[in-house]
């Protein structure tokens, strides 16, 4: 398990080094939105838990085929 976590953290560190991460105030009338990944850009609303949100969006970008449930579990 620790090896898997270390690999995940290493890959997310590599993904973060690619940049194109922006702070933005995100709003929705129908959903709670902490972050958003569009194309290669990642937008993070700094008001909620920023680290988990950033990891969540970086996981989406690194592994776009993973479903929302898996991404949420990995980010936590």
């Amino acid at each position: 398990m620790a090896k898997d976590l270390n690999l995940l953290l290493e890959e997310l560190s590599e993904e973060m080094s690619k940049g194109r991460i922006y702070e933005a105030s995100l709003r929705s009338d129908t959903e709670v939105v902490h972050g958003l990944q569009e194309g290669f850009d990642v937008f993070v609303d700094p008001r909620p838990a920023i680290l988990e949100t950033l990891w969540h969006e970086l996981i989406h970008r690194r592994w776009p085929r993973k479903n929302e449930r898996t991404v949420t579990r990995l980010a936590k």
Side-chain angles (χ1 to χ4, degrees):
M1 184 69 170
K3 184 177 179 179
D4 292 339
L5 179 58
N6 287 336
L7 180 59
L8 175 63
L9 292 174
E10 183 178 314
E11 292 206 25
L12 289 178
S13 178
E14 180 183 328
E15 196 64 33
M16 192 178 315
S17 73
K18 294 177 183 177
R20 294 184 65 170
I21 301 167
Y22 307 98
E23 181 181 309
S25 180
L26 303 171
R27 302 273 191 270
S28 172
D29 292 335
T30 59
E31 300 177 73
V32 175
V33 181
H34 299 281
L36 177 67
Q37 181 260 320
E38 277 189 6
F40 203 73
D41 296 329
V42 170
F43 302 89
V44 177
D45 191 330
R47 294 170 300 162
I50 191 168
L51 186 56
E52 184 178 324
T53 302
L54 178 57
W55 283 8
H56 183 101
E57 299 309 328
L58 289 173
I59 291 167
H60 273 304
R61 186 166 79 181
R62 182 71 171 199
W63 299 285
R65 296 188 199 281
K66 289 195 182 298
N67 65 43
E68 190 68 21
R69 184 176 181 195
T70 299
V71 169
T72 298
R73 182 181 52 79
L74 287 170
K76 289 181 185 268

